[in-house]
Amino acid sequence: MSSMLCAIVKNEAPYLVEWVAWHRMVGFDLIAIYDNDSTDQTPDLLARMRRIGLIDAHIPWPSVAASPQLLAYGDAVRGCPTDWLMFLDADEFLMLKTTRRVNDFIASFPADVACIGVNWRLFGSSGETVFSPRPVMERFSRAASAQSPINRHVKSLFRPRAVAEVHMHAPTLASGRAVLANGAPLEMEPHGLATHVDWSVAQVNHYFCKSLEEYQVKRARGDVHRGADDPAKYDKYTQDLFAHHDLNDEPDDSAAPWLPDLGPICADLRRRLGLTGAAPESNPE
């Protein structure tokens, strides 16, 4: 049993150490990151991570006419050397609740399961308005309730050799069956929406908003699902969209038991990467 995590990023330097540290801590065997035309310190930071073995692949991935994201994901599926693969964005963290290691989580499912959909838990801004170099998972602790339709989105662990068609949320399968993290059938509607929300076994903590200042940086990056020449590339991240996602209905302390371990791991990674203080990943601009 082996697993790989894959992301495509653009100008995510402030967050990469925490994101990589977290997903190494939960046990992904390999991490591959595609860099989509970053203009901040991201390329240098990824190169450093690759040199010391924190990530296993750093792939420059320039924008083209079609979706850079789906093209990168298709490339990852074709070349995936592991039994299982997961796509997450740099603002998404896989949170396991009944096991501490991703391969143990996967092993708990029957052999005919080829896709495991894990519901989002959307986190709001928690009233934060400006960037801070403190860990994202520490800064933001209020989230949307289960009744919010946005939490019906899933991200999936899946067998790459069972994929018929790649999708950012859950692939279309050529073989095997798809389930939610609790083992119930994964019934998908358009746009990556499951018919149910269940966080009892696992969830994907999705820090879509962060602070308003950081959201403006997200807005300047544009939509990775659209090519560089697409006239709608910079239309997605509006102030209305921020307000729609800035849901702080309930506290969520799912990350709290892990944070005492995460802090020292991040500090050690910064030391190994030769980062002084909180630089270069401390400034979102």
Side-chain angles (χ1 to χ4, degrees):
M1 178 77 63
S2 57
S3 56
M4 184 170 86
L5 177 63
C6 174
I8 181 169
V9 303
K10 181 175 182 177
N11 294 349
E12 295 280 8
Y15 313 106
L16 287 172
V17 169
E18 180 185 2
W19 189 87
V20 169
W22 176 266
H23 290 104
R24 284 297 190 193
M25 192 164 66
V26 301
F28 280 96
D29 297 295
L30 302 177
I31 297 178
I33 300 181
Y34 292 78
D35 176 23
N36 178 222
D37 297 331
S38 291
T39 56
D40 68 350
Q41 299 94 345
T42 292
D44 177 66
L45 185 55
L46 291 175
R48 294 191 203 188
M49 288 181 166
R50 177 67 184 90
R51 282 196 296 269
I52 66 173
L54 295 180
I55 63 175
D56 302 278
H58 165 211
I59 308 103
W61 199 257
S63 292
V64 292
S67 165
Q69 184 178 44
L70 287 181
L71 289 174
Y73 287 173
D75 183 72
V77 167
R78 289 188 296 272
C80 183
T82 57
D83 302 309
W84 290 79
L85 176 61
M86 187 172 203
F87 300 138
L88 289 177
D89 297 336
D91 61 1
E92 297 174 330
F93 293 72
L94 177 63
M95 175 65 62
L96 302 174
K97 298 187 176 182
T98 59
T99 63
R100 289 186 68 89
R101 308 286 288 181
V102 66
N103 289 347
D104 294 335
F105 171 65
I106 295 168
S108 69
F109 291 87
D112 66 333
V113 170
C115 176
I116 306 163
V118 183
N119 283 112
W120 271 356
R121 183 90 203 253
L122 182 77
F123 283 71
S125 68
S126 293
E128 299 282 332
T129 59
V130 297
F131 171 76
S132 165
R134 290 167 40 232
V136 167
M137 301 184 80
E138 177 185 304
R139 294 167 59 205
F140 305 106
S141 59
R142 298 197 66 86
S145 70
Q147 288 70 43
S148 175
I150 202 160
N151 287 320
R152 289 167 52 208
H153 284 89
V154 300
K155 286 298 182 78
S156 303
L157 284 148
F158 59 90
R159 298 181 187 270
R161 282 163 285 283
V163 170
E165 183 177 353
V166 174
H167 193 276
M168 65 190 71
H169 291 286
T172 302
L173 297 176
S175 60
R177 61 189 179 95
V179 298
L180 282 169
N182 66 356
L186 174 58
E187 299 173 0
M188 295 293 293
E189 297 178 358
H191 309 297
L193 294 173
T195 55
H196 298 91
V197 174
D198 184 273
W199 298 320
S200 62
V201 178
Q203 65 190 46
V204 170
N205 288 13
H206 187 197
Y207 300 92
F208 179 89
C209 293
K210 300 190 180 82
S211 68
L212 182 58
E213 179 184 31
E214 291 161 278
Y215 182 78
Q216 299 303 333
V217 177
K218 180 197 288 275
R219 187 175 189 174
R221 288 199 301 262
D223 185 354
V224 71
H225 193 48
R226 296 183 179 273
D229 297 330
D230 190 320
K233 184 171 180 65
Y234 297 96
D235 293 351
K236 178 177 179 179
Y237 296 108
T238 63
Q239 292 301 108
D240 287 344
L241 191 66
F242 178 87
H244 180 69
H245 286 76
D246 189 18
L247 302 176
N248 302 279
D249 305 325
E250 302 169 350
D252 183 304
D253 61 356
S254 55
W258 303 71
L259 292 178
D261 294 331
L262 182 63
I265 290 172
C266 288
D268 179 63
L269 293 191
R270 291 190 180 96
R271 178 188 59 79
R272 293 172 60 192
L273 290 163
L275 305 179
T276 57
E281 76 277 19
S282 63
N283 190 330
E285 298 179 354

